[in-house]
Amino acid sequence: MASVTYRNVYKRYGDVTVITDLNMEIADKEFVVFVGPSGCGKSTSLRMLAGLEDISEGEIFIGDRVVNDVPPKDRDIAMVFQSYALYPHMSVYDNMAFGLKLRKTPKAEIDRRVKEAATILGLENLLDRKPKALSGGQRQRVAVGRAIVREPAVFLMDEPLSNLDAKLRVTARAEISKLHQRLGTTFIYVTHDQVEAMTMGDRIAVMSDGLLQQIDSPRNLYNAPNNVFVAGFIGSPSMNFFDAILVGEENRLFVDTGDFRVAVPESRKTAYSSHVGKEVIFGIRPEHVHAPEYAPPNIMGEPLSATIEIVELLGHELHLFMNSGKFSFVGTVDTRMDAHAGNRVEVLFDMNNMHLFDKKTELAIR
Amino acid sequence: MSTITESNLKHTRSKGIARIDWVKVGSYLILLVFAAVYVGPLFMLVNTAFKTLPEFFRAPTALATGLNFQNFVDAWRLAKFPTYLVNSVIYTTVATFIYVVTTVFVAFPIARGYYKFGKYILLLYVIALFLPPALIPQFQLILNLGLYNTRIGYILLFLINPIGMIIIVNYIKTVPRELDESAAMDGCSYFRFILTIVLPLIKPAVATVTVLHAIGIWNELILPTIYLTNDALYPVTRGLIVFQGVYGSNWPALAAAVLILMIPMLILFMFLQRYIIAGLTEGAVKG
């Protein structure tokens, strides 16, 4: 059991800096997910912690110990790789026992731990099989089992579910969450899938271009993103953005896109007042775009008329791809709405859930 | 529907009989010639091995009239097989073992790019493949090292072979890199990793290289003639020379000796062949 700290960590390959000044504190027993698009540095951050990549500058702590120069095997960590990295010529049992054998763990103890892990993961009947004879899901569980038997202080997982089909991924996701609750160990999980991040993490670290954009609880990331990147990355379909100017008129504030103009709620006035007359980015999530007849009560609905370009019915929700003239945007509206491509409709923006960002810095205005 | 199919079938059948596929006939004839070229000498060898010497001189190409095993007994005795066979086994196993193990240890970091100029080192091996054998400097080297006419000196000659390095480097590239990392996290040392993880995974390549190298050493005739003068150190191939006389050679005994000589390598090949086929074809389809 241990906490993990990144302190002013940099990673450079020659002249290229791939991680810039990473600072993060991960508490003991916490489940933190590193998420971001390909090449954002999330895997590199994890691999530096694992000892598979050198740290160019800064320090990484596991517990109170600086591990910069500690070899991977002595860091008291276990890692689940994206490709599982099972030894193809060894049985499931031997794959799981290999690390313990190298540590000269007594045979009886190895047997106990492997069998216990196999029971947790439902692998009891597969212990004699070679990885080749396992399905993708089973292989993934063996890879997790191999980490469990080590009883490490920190679990590292590098996109462990990306090779599974969509259905299996959902169950495997739940299994990993359960495992975290059961083991009560620090988990650090890397993924590019925001659904995995949102559903599994106690906290999520959103990364982009080697920079930590925000680390927070899933709820806070969704409700109060720090910047345009986080706002766009979290949520599906992603947030709609409109370049606009914040206008003050008759003691009220309006977001004016040139295409349409919507009023800002009273409650945000103080926070936004410093940006009156300035260029801003107005953001609204698709789920906060409503069809007027089915809009929930008590929202501050600002009307806007738009032309429907594409209608996507997902069963439980209806995505409308609309065009207001200058801007295209998406709305997730009530499935009962009678929507057809080409129709001109009126929709409501729930302005109580609006987001506003500075155009230059792309930071949230609060 | 069924009648139509029936008539169609008949139609095609009659068409098939009427036309002879001359391209196919031609290609089979060519293949037959090739088969004869390959199998012919082998057949002659076996045939000769079972003939008596007078029978051979009467009609060298005629079929043997009976199974004369005396040639094998003579060959075994005259070519000093008991002694030379032991020598050959020592040279072949020791040199092949050291060669394969060292090659794997050198090939792994080259394949992974774990040292800076690995790529260029591999290039040197490729270049070496095309260079003519450097007999004179090699001879000088062995002589100056005081290893002329010694077992160690002779084994030393077989510890480098670029083709094996190239095969193994390319095969190691198909072993996923994550296994290195996983083993590093498990606390596996480099030597242990190579021996317990890499070697079993590159069995096909190792088998291929082992057979190629072992056959090369086993059948070598020029090098023992140059580097060994002590009768007690001769490999089995060197023993074959006794059948070559100034006034005439004992061809049936020589043929029998050659057949005996082939057996160990044939057994080795049979043991390893299932890996070899995989080793030569695998990697072709892996991305």
Side-chain angles (χ1 to χ4, degrees):
Chain A
M1 257 94 320
S3 60
V4 171
T5 310
Y6 287 85
R7 192 172 290 167
N8 307 113
V9 173
Y10 285 78
K11 175 69 190 173
R12 297 185 191 94
Y13 294 107
D15 295 336
V16 187
T17 306
V18 293
I19 303 280
T20 310
D21 198 18
L22 180 61
N23 284 287
M24 206 184 318
E25 299 220 358
I26 297 163
D28 184 21
K29 299 180 188 171
E30 200 176 10
F31 194 136
V32 171
V33 180
F34 292 178
V35 70
S38 307
C40 71
K42 55 189 190 299
S43 282
T44 311
S45 308
L46 190 80
R47 291 167 59 81
M48 283 195 290
L49 174 60
L52 300 172
E53 299 276 355
D54 294 331
I55 300 159
S56 308
E57 201 183 314
E59 284 170 328
I60 294 181
F61 293 76
I62 297 178
D64 302 327
R65 185 166 65 132
V66 179
V67 293
N68 287 34
D69 299 317
V70 177
K73 68 182 172 80
D74 298 326
R75 294 190 181 199
D76 200 11
I77 47 176
M79 184 154 165
V80 179
F81 292 86
Q82 183 174 2
S83 64
Y84 314 140
L86 302 178
Y87 307 121
H89 58 298
M90 292 185 191
S91 66
V92 168
Y93 185 97
D94 289 334
N95 259 291
M96 284 161 78
F98 187 67
L100 297 177
K101 278 184 194 160
L102 292 175
R103 285 178 159 69
K104 305 214 161 49
T105 313
K107 232 176 176 174
E109 174 68 8
I110 294 179
D111 198 57
R112 185 190 66 77
R113 287 203 209 173
V114 170
K115 294 213 165 121
E116 196 179 296
T119 314
I120 295 175
L121 298 164
L123 294 168
E124 302 100 314
N125 300 325
L126 307 172
L127 288 174
D128 296 330
R129 290 217 199 152
K130 295 266 172 71
K132 182 167 73 179
L134 300 177
S135 70
Q138 288 165 338
R139 282 180 207 181
Q140 191 269 335
R141 276 184 280 152
V142 176
V144 173
R146 198 165 60 167
I148 293 179
V149 295
R150 297 261 306 274
E151 298 180 356
V154 184
F155 271 97
L156 310 180
M157 300 195 175
D158 190 1
E159 309 213 20
L161 307 184
S162 57
N163 290 336
L164 302 182
D165 64 61
K167 207 173 161 191
L168 203 54
R169 215 177 296 168
V170 176
T171 34
R173 214 161 66 195
E175 276 173 18
I176 291 177
S177 293
K178 262 192 251 165
L179 192 70
H180 173 244
Q181 287 163 14
R182 183 171 177 162
L183 299 176
T185 312
T186 314
F187 270 52
I188 301 179
Y189 187 104
V190 166
T191 180
H192 62 267
D193 182 347
Q194 51 134 330
V195 179
E196 272 175 34
M198 291 294 276
T199 51
M200 299 169 87
D202 294 329
R203 283 195 302 155
I204 300 170
V206 183
M207 299 183 76
S208 167
D209 296 330
L211 283 168
L212 176 62
Q213 303 288 333
Q214 187 172 359
I215 175 164
D216 217 327
S217 68
R219 187 181 295 272
N220 285 349
L221 280 183
Y222 179 81
N223 290 332
N226 266 356
N227 56 36
V228 172
F229 178 81
V230 177
F233 193 79
I234 301 290
S236 174
S238 51
M239 188 185 280
N240 300 300
F241 295 109
F242 305 90
D243 287 335
I245 291 173
L246 192 65
V247 186
E249 250 174 41
E250 298 166 4
N251 208 24
R252 290 186 71 191
L253 293 182
F254 295 90
V255 170
D256 192 342
T257 64
D259 208 10
F260 59 86
R261 173 188 262 218
V262 283
V264 173
E266 268 318 295
S267 56
R268 309 271 182 113
K269 238 172 80 177
T270 333
Y272 295 165
S273 56
S274 60
H275 279 73
V276 174
K278 289 186 183 162
E279 283 188 314
V280 290
I281 298 169
F282 163 57
I284 188 103
R285 293 199 183 277
E287 48 274 37
H288 299 133
V289 177
H290 300 282
E293 58 272 39
Y294 303 110
N298 310 324
I299 64 160
M300 185 198 166
E302 280 290 298
L304 170 72
S305 79
T307 310
I308 301 175
E309 290 180 326
I310 298 167
V311 179
E312 281 182 352
L313 177 66
L314 270 67
H316 68 295
E317 55 188 35
L318 182 64
H319 294 170
L320 300 184
F321 292 78
M322 292 174 278
N323 193 305
S324 66
K326 215 161 81 178
F327 299 100
S328 293
F329 64 99
V330 189
T332 305
V333 299
D334 196 294
T335 50
R336 289 170 294 177
M337 183 179 176
D338 184 31
H340 301 281
N343 282 8
R344 188 90 184 151
V345 288
E346 189 162 276
V347 289
L348 297 179
F349 282 178
D350 175 6
M351 296 303 284
N352 282 326
N353 283 305
M354 69 171 283
H355 299 265
L356 208 61
F357 306 91
D358 186 294
K359 176 89 197 266
K360 271 196 204 113
T361 60
E362 298 203 341
L363 292 175
I365 306 167
R366 284 191 195 129
Chain B
M1 210 42 202
S2 63
T3 38
I4 295 168
T5 326
E6 191 84 349
S7 70
N8 274 352
L9 263 175
K10 274 180 191 160
H11 182 65
T12 358
R13 253 183 245 148
S14 61
K15 244 174 113 181
I17 291 164
R19 266 203 211 160
I20 295 172
D21 192 343
W22 288 108
V23 176
K24 216 163 202 178
V25 171
S27 64
Y28 274 111
L29 278 175
I30 293 169
L31 287 175
L32 212 67
V33 172
F34 272 111
V37 168
Y38 275 95
V39 179
L42 210 61
F43 173 75
M44 284 293 288
L45 184 74
V46 177
N47 189 41
T48 311
F50 286 111
K51 283 179 172 176
T52 59
L53 195 56
E55 200 183 343
F56 178 79
F57 281 125
R58 261 201 306 279
T61 52
L63 280 179
T65 47
L67 292 179
N68 173 29
F69 286 100
Q70 189 54 44
N71 290 330
F72 291 89
V73 179
D74 291 345
W76 185 264
R77 192 173 39 82
L78 288 172
K80 296 193 186 161
F81 262 96
T83 323
Y84 295 170
L85 209 56
V86 171
N87 287 338
S88 270
V89 168
I90 291 173
Y91 299 143
T92 308
T93 48
V94 173
T96 305
F97 178 78
I98 297 175
Y99 169 70
V100 169
V101 171
T102 50
T103 301
V104 171
F105 274 101
V106 176
F108 182 75
I110 291 182
R112 285 291 193 253
Y114 285 156
Y115 48 76
K116 221 175 173 182
F117 300 109
K119 234 180 9 187
Y120 300 105
I121 293 175
L122 186 67
L123 188 69
L124 284 181
Y125 276 96
V126 176
I127 292 170
L129 205 59
F130 299 100
L131 293 178
L135 267 182
I136 294 166
Q138 199 179 45
F139 185 83
Q140 282 293 334
L141 186 69
I142 294 285
L143 204 63
N144 292 339
L145 287 172
L147 295 172
Y148 179 70
N149 204 18
T150 61
R151 281 190 208 280
I152 294 175
Y154 187 66
I155 287 172
L156 219 55
L157 298 172
F158 298 105
L159 297 189
I160 301 227
N161 180 2
I163 189 72
M165 177 66 75
I166 294 162
I167 291 175
I168 289 180
V169 164
N170 283 311
Y171 204 84
I172 289 175
K173 285 182 182 168
T174 66
V175 176
R177 194 180 277 263
E178 279 95 338
L179 291 186
D180 310 7
E181 296 176 342
S182 181
M185 300 199 69
D186 274 336
C188 195
S189 68
Y190 180 67
F191 281 91
R192 189 155 184 168
F193 177 68
I194 298 285
L195 295 176
T196 58
I197 310 286
V198 176
L199 261 180
L201 294 180
I202 58 164
K203 254 189 243 165
V206 168
T208 309
V209 172
T210 301
V211 167
L212 287 178
H213 201 64
I215 290 178
I217 301 173
W218 188 265
N219 290 341
E220 182 60 54
L221 181 63
I222 308 290
L223 292 182
T225 320
I226 299 172
Y227 287 96
L228 300 172
T229 51
N230 184 348
D231 181 60
L233 299 181
Y234 284 165
V236 83
T237 38
R238 187 63 180 72
L240 300 183
I241 292 177
V242 297
F243 301 108
Q244 205 115 37
V246 183
Y247 303 107
S249 303
N250 186 351
W251 291 106
L254 179 61
V258 168
L259 282 182
I260 299 173
L261 188 75
M262 274 168 58
I263 292 168
M265 287 302 110
L266 218 56
I267 293 170
L268 179 73
F269 182 78
M270 266 152 42
F271 263 114
L272 298 178
Q273 77 161 339
R274 64 194 176 109
Y275 295 115
I276 292 168
I277 306 302
L280 292 175
T281 54
E282 232 166 322
V285 286
K286 272 188 192 169

